[in-house]
Amino acid sequence: MQANSVAEGVINLVQTEGYDVVVLGASREGLLQQAIQGNIPEAIASGVESTVILVRGAIQK
């Protein structure tokens, strides 16, 4: 399966395989990086009807 973006590829896979839950690592990208590339986890979450869980590690001080 080929897609134009990571988000599109994951969305297509979830829809094709009928997954109930998607678990993603939440990004720590800055606002500029998100403006350029888009927010991949957000795009996936809004593009599927499945439950989407975003996981982020603890912030190191």
Side-chain angles (χ1 to χ4, degrees):
M1 181 181 308
Q2 188 172 359
N4 293 324
S5 69
V6 172
E8 181 183 319
V10 173
I11 291 167
N12 289 342
L13 181 64
V14 170
Q15 292 173 344
T16 301
E17 297 297 325
Y19 295 136
D20 295 324
V21 177
V22 180
V23 179
L24 301 169
S27 65
R28 295 191 187 279
E29 298 170 337
L31 291 176
L32 178 59
Q33 191 70 16
Q34 286 184 28
I36 294 169
Q37 293 182 334
N39 186 316
I40 294 171
E42 184 178 314
I44 294 169
S46 64
V48 299
E49 293 186 18
S50 305
T51 299
V52 177
I53 300 171
L54 298 178
V55 180
R56 178 178 289 161
I59 296 175
Q60 301 295 322
K61 292 184 179 184

